[in-house]
Amino acid sequence: MSLTLTDIGRIANLARLEMPPAQAERMLTQLNGFFDIVEQMKAVDTSGIEPLAHPTAVIDHVSLRLRPDVASEPNNREANQQSAPAVERGLFLVPKVIE
Amino acid sequence: MSEKKQASLLVHGYEVVIGFETHAQLATQSKIFSRAPTAFGAEPNTQACAVDLALPGTLPVMNREAVAHAIRLGLALGSHIAEQSVFARKNYFYPDLPKGYQISQFEIPVVQGGEVSFFLGDEKKTVRLVRAHLEEDAGKSLHEDFIGQSGIDLNRAGTPLLEIVTEPDIRSSAEAVAYAKELHKIVTWIGICDGNMQEGSFRCDANVSVRKPGAPLGTRREIKNLNSFKFMQQAIDYEVRWQIEQIEDGHAIQQATVLFDPDTGETRAMRTKEDAADYRYFPDPDLPPLVIARSWVDEVKAAMPELPRQMAERLVADYGLPEYDATTLTQSPAMAAYFETAAKASGQAKMASNWIMGEVSRRLNSEEKDIAQVPVSAETLAALLKRIADGTVSNNAAKQVMDALWAGEGQDVDAVIEAKGLKQMNDSGALEAIIDEVMAANAPMVEQFRAGKDKAFNALVGLVMKASKGKANPQQANELLKKKLG
Amino acid sequence: MSLNDLHQMGVAELAAAIADKQTSSVEAAQALLARAKQHQNLGAYLSFNEDLTLAQAKAADARVAAGERGPLLGVPLAHKDIFVTQGFTSTAGSKMLEGYQSPFDATVVANLAKAGAVTLGKLNCDEFAMGGSNENSAYGVARNPWDMERVPGGSSGGSAVAVAARLAPATTGTDTGGSIRQPASFCNVTGIKPTYGRCSRYGMIAFASSLDQAGPMARSAADCATLLSAMAGPDIDRDSTSLDHPAEDYTRLLGTLREGATAAQPLKGLRVGLPKEFFGEGCAPDVVAAVRTALSEYEKLGATLVDISLPRTELSIPVYYIIAPAEASSNLSRFDGVKFGHRAAQYDDLIDMYKKSRSEGFGPEVQRRIMIGTYVLSHGYYDAYYLKAQQIRRLIAQDFQDAFAQCDLIAGPAAPTTAWKIGEMSDDPVANYLADIFTLPASLAGLPGMSVPAGFGAGGLPVGLQLIGNYFREAELLQAADAFQRATDWHTKTPEGF
């Protein structure tokens, strides 16, 4: 299968990327070039194969570590916001959010 | 239990179908994936640490207590607690969502199935649960303070939530409210949520649709953030009327997310989040599967309090209370404990129930106190009930004693009765004397009675009681008067 | 001791010289900073903070004065700019993070600092570690000191260049699909990617969460072992994917004989597996030749070569280039111009701000991978792409377990070619992806892998021998590499003029 410009537009919007027509065309060619090499995956029979999300799970069971419920992070607002584009009265500013 | 068994009450010939999604903030010290505090109302972004802000390089580490709370809920609702569940990323862009995705559970939630039972009037209802899953709360957007801009406060971001999802089993706004109240009671009872609806600790979304009986489910609209039981009922009633009107006018219902405006009493469609439909869920590679050992579940189970419904059933069995009393008295563990102490100490269960639901609750309500702040101990109430039972004071006089105790005029019931001179007159000699006086002073009335005017009898009893300043035992007064009028 | 010689020292020598007070950490730091700045045309370093570096060096010297000794105490190092650091900007090679100041240090950086290492500066890399040539850096290419017209490889290009050109005795890198092993191969440097989860990912700006691993790059396997011992270890409080295995001394097997081996044949009994898929026509003849020569050296050391197969080697390309971009598309969503990072100067509304900020902040390759990742996760495609890729990933990992039934470690080329010319492949993304074929399988399986200088191919360009071990076998891997380096001097060769 190969993608269309419509797909590119839809995906770019989902990913919040600006995609002017010329760039969309280029992107389309490159992605279709990539998905050609993806085709070979189809031939692999993966029925009943459990997906591998955490590599070492191949050899032993991996499970989530749990942390004691202790609030130990101090207020570090100043340092945390030092690279913020727009802050006022401790709030991050963004163009109005309409609900 | 199957949907059909649910009694449906029709609105203009339509059946109302409601499913609930409730976000309960979990009572933990720290966030679900970070060690920042969860306290409400701090200065903006002072409780949002590097992890909560999604600063580059940060990673989530799971809070054990949040999982324990999920186990507690599962046990309370008779759900299956998954031996293994998976955290997934729900991807969408929004300013109050720092990572650009919410860590939630999608395909395999931690709590599966279960049910919530409650009484609607005297009818027992059961609502089935689909699931309850762990996830992180988002931050808040503040729109008021800035012109053309919104301010983002991420203190709430990362607060642990359980999203509790029901089957579409609910058939009326009243039933919806009853369900929400019962769920609210349970989560606060087992201590996993503070239940503070004003602060958003317990937020309900209602999926509402209508259909002709027997027809397939209609298109639903989701009413978001119902944060008071009052608005809940108003919002659902409005939404149901609106949907029926639309259909009657020949318009199809469009699936939508709506907000309820308490000022107008109306619901309005939200500016729908663009492409909200495509969340690109996938298992979070930063978090291995959550594994819950049976032994942990047993441990939590052993430490669980008796649940409200079990306790209500026990109150019926052990104290012979009506269902209604038992349900009312199990509003909170404190209320139930107050009743049991008073009932045991007085040996007057029903009387204790009546007094707590009546005199005690009325006084608490008027002073906007809850049972934890009651000024009259259960033991003291029991002592008073004993005095009513053994005839030392009349029920009315007992209310005056209660006023005194409530006002703090002494703790010893007998002393108060004595001081207030409210002791009932049980010495028949003194009473006969009063009756003789009354009869002598009201000869005409006595004549009327003897002439067959029964009404006169009650008037005479009234006069006797009055003359005894209310201390006469009414039954005794009746009997003696009858005898004398012979 | 003359300041001019300091840069010629590796980690072990420098640590010893500092401990023996032949030089000081401050002296070494000053000399290396001067040299690094003198060679900025290589594009290895992105940022310095001289005051902070010297303050750290002074502190280290104070520890030395107090009688403390340590294999890294006072040794100046440099970090790939993918690691966040306090006091040095952390950009991940992206315009998105231009001037970004982190309020905390990556765990790996903090661990090295605890051991007394001093930070010289931050090193160039492909943007968000996406690339194999360092050409995807927003701050310009890094140049291969063996041929300034050629790429150093990537994504840890700056890390490889700094070691090869002697601008630092050792550096840190990260490896998601080969980003330590391939540039090490291109620049005649030794580098190791440990088992997934050995090093904490906390403070490593995430590319692909289930693949990213930190590792050292240095002039010898022995120096790598010293660094890895300090870098690795569980990070219970900060990284849920960091392994519970206790920290190890990865130097413990260096110079020791395998059981039943002799001084003449220290690797006697070691079975080295050669995957036939790694030696096919997909690999350049000069690379194959150099690797074969290196392997015959292993036979001299007592190892036996066994033919094995990793049948799904070719599949690792689509599998990796679905999984990594999928995870990346989500990991990079936090760069939205709200809390940190680039925000466009002009925009109409919120969505427009997102789109302009991200399109201005991310380079072409990053945007390409975000597009691929978003697509394969999008509604209706998840099962066919992401899920299927994760299933094949298990098969690939299983193939390795089958192979390790026949051998103790696996050997082959780290890359199918030597370093290519800058610009040669930059407009052909797929060609770049294909060039990762030999490093991707071990990455998908989460296995430890390293690249060891193995001689030179056409035009005198370095060739790296890739060694892959089973899970948690880093010590054995380093032992085998060290034995090779005791018998050969490829790793000591420096490019002319450095």
Side-chain angles (χ1 to χ4, degrees):
Chain A
M1 60 117 251
S2 78
L3 288 81
T4 64
L5 274 176
T6 322
D7 296 319
I8 299 294
R10 178 179 59 88
I11 302 156
N13 183 55
L14 265 178
R16 295 291 185 262
L17 292 172
E18 223 170 21
M19 199 64 61
Q23 196 187 337
E25 289 284 0
R26 204 161 51 246
M27 186 66 76
L28 179 62
T29 322
Q30 291 168 333
L31 262 55
N32 279 330
F34 166 68
F35 279 100
D36 288 344
I37 66 170
V38 171
E39 282 302 294
Q40 56 181 307
M41 277 175 41
K42 285 211 181 115
V44 184
D45 176 10
T46 54
S47 46
I49 305 283
E50 196 193 335
L52 181 62
H54 302 276
T56 49
V58 174
I59 52 161
D60 66 10
H61 185 71
V62 181
S63 69
L64 185 60
R65 256 194 311 264
L66 301 175
R67 159 183 69 79
D69 179 27
V70 179
S72 55
E73 289 284 353
N75 169 21
N76 196 26
R77 184 171 78 180
E78 202 177 320
N80 288 341
Q81 293 188 330
Q82 68 189 319
S83 297
V87 170
E88 200 173 310
R89 280 174 277 160
L91 295 160
F92 298 98
L93 292 191
V94 299
K96 195 156 206 66
V97 179
I98 303 132
E99 286 182 330
Chain B
M1 96 188 264
S2 90
E3 247 183 82
K4 290 189 191 56
K5 290 210 200 104
Q6 298 274 340
S8 305
L9 93 187
L10 303 188
V11 182
H12 305 303
Y14 286 85
E15 182 184 39
V16 177
V17 177
I18 302 169
F20 254 67
E21 289 170 16
T22 304
H23 289 88
Q25 276 185 359
L26 299 178
T28 56
Q29 295 304 308
S30 62
K31 304 265 178 95
I32 183 167
F33 297 120
S34 86
R35 292 174 295 180
T38 52
F40 180 84
E43 279 296 295
N45 294 311
T46 54
Q47 296 195 352
C49 70
V51 175
D52 305 324
L53 296 180
L55 296 191
T58 54
L59 296 168
V61 179
M62 181 76 201
N63 183 336
R64 186 172 216 276
E65 188 62 13
V67 179
H69 282 337
I71 296 172
R72 291 182 182 105
L73 182 81
L75 289 169
L77 304 181
S79 315
H80 170 66
I81 292 152
E83 299 72 20
Q84 178 160 321
S85 60
V86 174
F87 285 98
R89 294 183 181 182
K90 180 181 184 180
N91 295 281
Y92 65 94
F93 287 88
Y94 211 65
D96 65 11
L97 189 69
K99 295 186 293 298
Y101 58 85
Q102 177 193 34
I103 303 177
S104 182
Q105 297 191 299
F106 183 52
E107 281 177 329
I108 314 174
V110 59
V111 173
Q112 304 169 1
E115 59 181 42
V116 174
S117 297
F118 51 92
F119 274 80
L120 186 57
D122 54 8
E123 190 184 357
K124 184 169 184 180
K125 297 277 188 184
T126 296
V127 172
R128 296 165 303 159
L129 295 183
V130 178
R131 62 191 279 165
H133 63 259
L134 283 161
E135 63 183 24
E136 58 183 341
D137 208 342
K140 285 179 184 166
S141 309
L142 310 168
H143 311 305
E144 294 70 23
D145 316 12
F146 309 93
I147 309 102
Q149 303 190 90
S150 297
I152 307 299
D153 176 7
L154 296 173
N155 280 349
R156 195 181 69 176
T159 302
L161 294 176
L162 265 174
E163 180 174 340
I164 303 156
V165 183
T166 76
E167 298 282 0
D169 286 352
I170 299 167
R171 290 293 175 272
S172 71
S173 61
E175 191 178 335
V177 172
Y179 160 79
K181 284 184 168 166
E182 181 67 20
L183 182 63
H184 183 271
K185 186 208 287 189
I186 291 168
V187 295
T188 50
W189 186 285
I190 63 177
I192 68 170
C193 175
D194 70 16
N196 187 323
M197 296 176 84
Q198 290 69 33
E199 293 178 2
S201 303
F202 187 85
R203 315 194 291 268
C204 296
D205 306 337
N207 289 300
V208 179
S209 67
V210 300
R211 65 175 172 188
K212 290 288 187 184
L217 287 174
T219 307
R220 60 191 171 84
R221 302 214 310 166
E222 180 180 24
I223 315 176
K224 275 233 164 284
N225 293 337
L226 295 168
N227 57 3
S228 98
F229 296 123
K230 180 156 146 275
F231 296 155
M232 198 177 289
Q233 184 134 22
Q234 290 176 14
I236 294 170
D237 287 338
Y238 176 88
E239 179 64 21
V240 166
R241 270 199 311 280
W242 184 89
Q243 286 189 21
I244 291 172
E245 283 166 20
Q246 292 294 305
I247 294 168
E248 291 292 318
D249 297 352
H251 307 306
I253 302 296
Q254 304 299 331
Q255 186 155 354
T257 305
V258 304
L259 288 172
F260 176 68
D261 179 348
D263 305 331
T264 63
E266 298 180 351
T267 55
R268 64 167 174 84
M270 275 175 82
R271 171 79 80 86
T272 48
K273 281 178 195 157
E274 234 187 306
D275 50 60
D278 202 338
Y279 288 125
R280 289 156 287 139
Y281 281 100
F282 73 107
D284 191 331
D286 290 331
L287 296 163
L290 170 60
V291 174
I292 297 175
R294 190 68 230 169
S295 56
W296 188 14
V297 176
D298 296 340
E299 212 176 290
V300 173
K301 191 176 203 162
M304 288 272 284
E306 182 181 28
L307 297 169
R309 186 112 306 277
Q310 302 163 350
M311 185 181 267
E313 282 156 16
R314 186 170 57 77
L315 296 188
V316 171
D318 296 4
Y319 300 93
L321 294 183
E323 264 293 350
Y324 175 82
D325 293 38
T327 308
T328 315
L329 292 169
T330 49
Q331 284 316 304
S332 74
M335 172 77 84
Y338 188 81
F339 163 76
E340 285 212 83
T341 314
K344 285 206 186 84
S346 65
Q348 301 292 333
K350 179 55 178 157
M351 197 191 281
S353 165
N354 294 345
W355 268 72
I356 293 166
M357 294 191 298
E359 294 304 310
V360 174
S361 298
R362 184 170 52 73
R363 287 176 171 81
L364 288 173
N365 295 341
S366 67
E367 296 175 17
E368 289 173 343
K369 285 183 179 160
D370 74 40
I371 191 74
Q373 305 154 286
V374 65
V376 177
S377 76
E379 291 77 6
T380 310
L381 174 64
L384 179 56
L385 299 179
K386 279 212 191 102
R387 290 291 167 261
I388 299 171
D390 67 16
T392 307
V393 287
S394 68
N395 206 58
N396 287 333
K399 291 176 186 171
Q400 298 173 52
V401 178
M402 189 59 162
D403 287 328
L405 295 165
W406 199 274
E409 303 168 22
Q411 275 74 38
D412 179 50
V413 171
D414 292 333
V416 173
I417 294 172
E418 205 51 57
K420 299 238 163 231
L422 292 170
K423 209 169 173 58
Q424 204 157 236
M425 182 187 298
N426 293 325
D427 145 21
S428 61
L431 182 53
E432 282 185 52
I434 292 176
I435 291 173
D436 293 339
E437 285 168 31
V438 171
M439 285 173 72
N442 300 277
M445 226 182 269
V446 174
E447 287 316 312
Q448 289 173 3
F449 174 77
R450 291 194 167 130
K453 281 216 174 68
D454 294 359
K455 265 205 259 121
F457 181 77
N458 297 339
L460 286 165
V461 174
L463 289 166
V464 170
M465 293 307 293
K466 188 150 175 277
S468 75
K469 301 194 190 59
K471 298 186 205 170
N473 177 329
Q475 287 92 338
Q476 201 181 13
N478 262 296
E479 288 151 18
L480 285 168
L481 190 60
K482 275 213 187 72
K483 221 163 70 218
K484 289 182 175 290
L485 291 166
Chain C
M1 135 146 354
S2 141
L3 288 183
N4 308 329
D5 307 336
L6 284 169
H7 67 271
Q8 297 296 358
M9 295 186 179
V11 172
E13 299 161 270
L14 197 49
I18 291 168
D20 302 342
K21 311 231 174 48
Q22 292 160 7
T23 183
S24 69
S25 181
V26 168
E27 200 174 43
Q30 282 167 331
L32 287 160
L33 281 173
R35 181 175 170 84
K37 288 174 177 177
Q38 173 197 342
H39 290 285
Q40 271 297 60
N41 60 323
L42 287 169
Y45 282 83
L46 290 183
S47 61
F48 298 98
N49 180 341
E50 193 152 355
D51 296 345
L52 182 51
T53 300
L54 294 179
Q56 292 176 357
K58 279 198 191 69
D61 284 332
R63 286 169 66 175
V64 174
E68 189 177 339
R69 280 184 83 97
L72 289 171
L73 185 52
V75 177
L77 306 171
H79 298 297
K80 184 180 186 180
D81 212 19
I82 230 53
F83 294 97
V84 297
T85 44
Q86 279 177 296
F88 297 84
T89 56
S90 304
T91 69
S94 179
K95 183 181 178 212
M96 180 61 83
L97 284 175
E98 192 162 12
Y100 176 72
Q101 293 291 339
S102 173
F104 63 94
D105 280 327
T107 298
V108 161
V109 170
N111 288 348
L112 287 168
K114 250 186 257 109
V118 169
T119 302
L120 288 167
K122 302 297 290 294
L123 298 164
N124 204 351
C125 57
D126 284 300
E127 184 177 10
F128 289 103
M130 297 181 190
S133 69
N134 214 115
E135 290 166 293
N136 298 333
S137 167
Y139 303 99
V141 297
R143 298 181 172 275
N144 190 323
W146 293 90
D147 177 346
M148 300 283 280
E149 296 315 306
R150 294 182 180 267
V151 302
S155 66
S156 309
S159 304
V161 173
V163 173
R166 306 303 190 234
L167 310 182
T171 59
T172 56
T174 61
D175 188 314
T176 303
S179 286
I180 286 174
R181 291 160 287 161
Q182 183 255 24
S185 162
F186 282 15
C187 294
N188 204 51
V189 164
T190 305
I192 181 168
K193 171 197 101 71
T195 304
Y196 176 85
R198 280 285 202 191
C199 290
S200 171
R201 291 189 299 115
Y202 191 74
M204 262 172 63
I205 298 173
F207 161 16
S209 307
S210 74
L211 294 151
D212 296 344
Q213 250 310 282
M217 300 176 80
R219 301 176 198 180
S220 68
D223 283 357
C224 282
T226 301
L227 261 76
L228 186 60
S229 302
M231 291 166 70
D235 191 5
I236 306 299
D237 291 346
R238 294 291 186 188
D239 177 3
S240 303
T241 62
S242 114
L243 295 163
D244 251 328
H245 290 237
E248 282 183 29
D249 174 6
Y250 295 101
T251 65
R252 67 181 187 276
L253 298 180
L254 300 181
T256 65
L257 306 182
R258 285 179 55 87
E259 215 181 320
T262 66
Q265 294 203 314
L267 298 181
K268 198 166 190 305
L270 181 74
R271 298 166 304 161
V272 177
L274 311 184
K276 63 171 191 285
E277 295 77 7
F278 282 43
F279 294 86
E281 75 281 2
C283 192
D286 60 334
V287 171
V288 173
V291 168
R292 291 268 182 215
T293 316
L295 290 169
S296 57
E297 187 61 41
Y298 268 95
E299 285 182 296
K300 292 199 198 106
L301 293 169
T304 52
L305 307 180
V306 290
D307 292 324
I308 60 160
S309 173
L310 295 171
R312 296 178 181 85
T313 297
E314 205 173 323
L315 275 165
S316 65
I317 297 167
V319 166
Y320 173 88
Y321 278 99
I322 283 171
I323 293 170
E327 293 179 1
S329 69
S330 179
N331 285 334
L332 296 184
S333 293
R334 69 189 57 198
F335 299 98
D336 58 3
V338 176
K339 292 95 40 192
F340 46 78
H342 178 74
R343 177 185 289 197
Q346 264 115 28
Y347 41 81
D348 308 334
D349 56 15
L350 180 65
I351 300 219
D352 193 43
M353 183 200 85
Y354 282 150
K355 291 185 173 180
K356 285 201 167 66
S357 303
R358 287 167 61 79
S359 297
E360 293 170 9
F362 293 138
E365 180 59 24
V366 171
Q367 293 196 38
R368 229 166 358 245
R369 297 198 191 187
I370 290 174
M371 290 289 288
I372 292 172
T374 304
Y375 179 68
V376 298
L377 290 176
S378 68
H379 187 70
Y381 298 98
Y382 178 83
D383 289 8
Y385 293 121
Y386 189 77
L387 186 66
K388 179 114 188 172
Q390 292 280 54
Q391 290 172 311
I392 300 175
R393 181 182 192 175
R394 180 175 292 274
L395 297 175
I396 290 169
Q398 196 52 55
D399 289 342
F400 274 105
Q401 291 313 300
D402 299 344
F404 282 121
Q406 310 159 52
C407 60
D408 305 302
L409 61 82
I410 293 168
T417 66
T418 54
W420 56 81
K421 280 209 156 55
I422 292 167
E424 198 177 331
M425 299 217 295
S426 49
D427 52 6
D428 187 350
V430 173
N432 281 279
Y433 300 170
L434 297 174
D436 296 340
I437 183 160
F438 297 149
T439 47
L440 297 180
S443 293
L444 288 166
L447 292 165
M450 63 188 299
S451 180
V452 182
F456 297 84
L461 295 169
V463 172
L465 170 72
Q466 180 177 206
L467 299 176
I468 300 167
N470 208 344
Y471 299 106
F472 316 118
R473 298 299 181 81
E474 292 84 356
E476 287 86 340
L477 211 50
L478 289 157
Q479 176 188 31
D482 175 65
F484 178 77
Q485 293 183 336
R486 287 168 191 257
T488 61
D489 65 353
W490 301 119
H491 63 293
T492 66
K493 302 267 187 258
T494 52
E496 211 181 322
F498 297 94

